[in-house]
Amino acid sequence: MDNYLVKNRLSSYFLTMVDLEARQLSETARTVSSVHLTDLLTRIRFMDDIQRFITSQMQILQAATNDSVLPGMFEQS
């Protein structure tokens, strides 16, 4: 049941969606790196870069103070 009276209800929705997309991105990056990157150190650095990107996006979302800034987070400028 949706509760429309909760103050930041969209932030939990966006947090859930970002988490799902982050998992998918990480899985795709792992698959691509295992097929195309033969050097182990390069593969590890690539996966670290992907994980840092995911972490930074999650921090931006968690730092949002209201729901009005969240939809614009995903738009390209």
Side-chain angles (χ1 to χ4, degrees):
M1 181 171 114
D2 290 335
N3 186 353
Y4 296 104
L5 300 176
V6 175
K7 185 175 182 176
N8 289 327
R9 67 183 175 85
L10 288 180
S11 63
S12 62
Y13 166 78
F14 280 107
L15 187 59
T16 302
M17 296 309 294
V18 168
D19 186 52
L20 291 172
E21 292 296 325
R23 289 180 187 189
Q24 185 177 2
L25 174 62
S26 184
E27 182 179 324
T28 302
R30 189 175 305 113
T31 302
V32 169
S33 68
S34 68
V35 172
H36 296 285
L37 299 176
T38 56
D39 183 35
L40 182 61
L41 184 58
T42 305
R43 188 182 307 169
I44 291 170
R45 286 180 180 163
F46 175 72
M47 290 305 298
D48 284 345
D49 285 344
I50 295 295
Q51 200 57 44
R52 273 194 300 260
F53 173 76
I54 290 170
T55 302
S56 70
Q57 294 300 306
M58 292 291 278
Q59 288 173 346
I60 290 170
L61 181 63
Q62 291 169 347
T65 57
N66 59 31
D67 290 341
S68 65
V69 297
L70 296 177
M73 178 179 154
F74 302 103
E75 295 175 1
Q76 295 181 359
S77 54

